[in-house]
Amino acid sequence: TQLLEQSPQFLSIQEGENLTVYCNSSSVFSSLQWYRQEPGEGPVLLVTVVTGGEVKKLKRLTFQFGDARKDSSLHITAAQPGDTGLYLCAGPNQAGTALIFGKGTTLSVSS
Amino acid sequence: ETGVTQTPRHLVMGMTNKKSLKCEQHLGHNAMYWYKQSAKKPLELMFVYNFKEQTENNSVPSRFSPECPNSSHLFLHLHTLQPEDSALYLCASSQTRGTGRGTQYFGPGTRLTVL
């Protein structure tokens, strides 16, 4: 069974701090995606990583796909209150017919 | 704005009621999905429709009955639900059914409470 484990489950930080959240699996994924979900809304795709070792940057967010394609990390530099939300990682099941999601990391950034 | 709308946004129902959730996508996509989001659990895929045909039923109890009359609309009919069915129900769409690198666009969800 493919599982995605995300850590930490909760993170509460001050504005301006840096943070890293993780998405780990014992299974190899052809790609991984990161979504952010704000209260009262559905998840919104942030990035897709497809190559082992790949690094993608989205303003203050840096995403990395592990060399073995079993894990990914999201690093936020100088967090802002607008970064508050639930961060979800997701990857395709082996059949490629559906996405498997982790439980998510709930981030709270206070000013 | 994601282009995927869901109604109602909130629903409270008794265990003997029958209700329906509606999803509409304005993106011209061919695949639509129902997910269940419960506290402390990962998003659970319930159903997948591709070109109006159901392609996946993730062992969902029969008290949940999906309907996809066309590629733009998706319904979830609910009857004799249990309190543990209380959750956020999310609809999503994508250009095609494949999920490896494509984007799924989610609606805002329906917050369902079963009394």
Side-chain angles (χ1 to χ4, degrees):
Chain A
T1 303
Q2 293 174 290
L3 291 174
L4 288 167
E5 302 284 347
Q6 290 191 245
S7 61
Q9 186 176 357
F10 298 98
L11 191 55
S12 182
I13 61 172
Q14 295 289 316
E15 182 176 5
E17 292 185 32
N18 301 330
L19 66 113
T20 302
V21 298
Y22 301 91
C23 175
N24 296 294
S25 178
S26 58
S27 303
V28 175
F29 283 86
S30 58
S31 62
L32 282 178
Q33 298 182 323
W34 285 91
Y35 289 79
R36 180 170 66 208
Q37 184 176 16
E38 298 184 18
E41 301 296 331
V44 175
L45 180 67
L46 295 174
V47 77
T48 302
V49 286
V50 298
T51 304
E54 180 178 6
V55 176
K56 281 192 173 179
K57 292 191 175 183
L58 184 66
K59 297 184 180 178
R60 294 175 293 100
L61 278 60
T62 301
F63 304 85
Q64 185 162 9
F65 200 12
D67 291 341
R69 291 185 286 125
K70 292 183 177 181
D71 56 85
S72 181
S73 63
L74 159 60
H75 181 80
I76 301 179
T77 304
Q80 299 178 0
D83 296 326
T84 293
L86 175 67
Y87 288 81
L88 298 162
C89 69
N93 62 7
Q94 290 184 340
T97 56
L99 282 175
I100 299 168
F101 283 83
K103 292 183 181 181
T105 293
T106 299
L107 172 65
S108 175
V109 182
S110 53
S111 56
Chain B
E1 184 177 356
T2 64
V4 180
T5 58
Q6 290 187 244
T7 55
R9 294 294 306 274
H10 301 273
L11 178 63
V12 179
M13 59 186 290
M15 289 190 285
T16 58
N17 292 157
K18 290 184 180 181
K19 297 287 184 182
S20 296
L21 309 184
K22 179 182 177 182
C23 174
E24 183 173 3
Q25 58 96 359
H26 313 274
L27 302 168
H29 290 165
N30 297 310
M32 296 187 77
Y33 311 79
W34 279 117
Y35 288 89
K36 177 183 179 182
Q37 187 174 35
S38 306
K40 301 182 180 180
K41 294 178 70 175
L43 257 72
E44 300 172 70
L45 179 69
M46 300 175 72
F47 302 103
V48 181
Y49 277 82
N50 195 43
F51 291 96
K52 303 188 299 179
E53 298 296 321
Q54 185 181 128
T55 57
E56 192 142 343
N57 176 337
N58 201 24
S59 302
V60 180
S62 60
R63 56 185 184 270
F64 295 91
S65 175
E67 178 189 2
C68 188
N70 54 62
S71 293
S72 298
H73 294 86
L74 186 64
F75 295 89
L76 188 62
H77 303 300
L78 316 170
H79 63 98
T80 59
L81 294 191
Q82 304 298 311
E84 59 265 30
D85 296 323
S86 299
L88 181 69
Y89 288 85
L90 290 162
C91 173
S93 72
S94 63
Q95 183 61 47
T96 58
R97 187 181 61 143
T99 60
R101 303 182 185 189
T103 302
Q104 288 195 11
Y105 294 84
F106 286 84
T110 293
R111 174 66 63 186
L112 173 67
T113 302
V114 182
L115 301 176

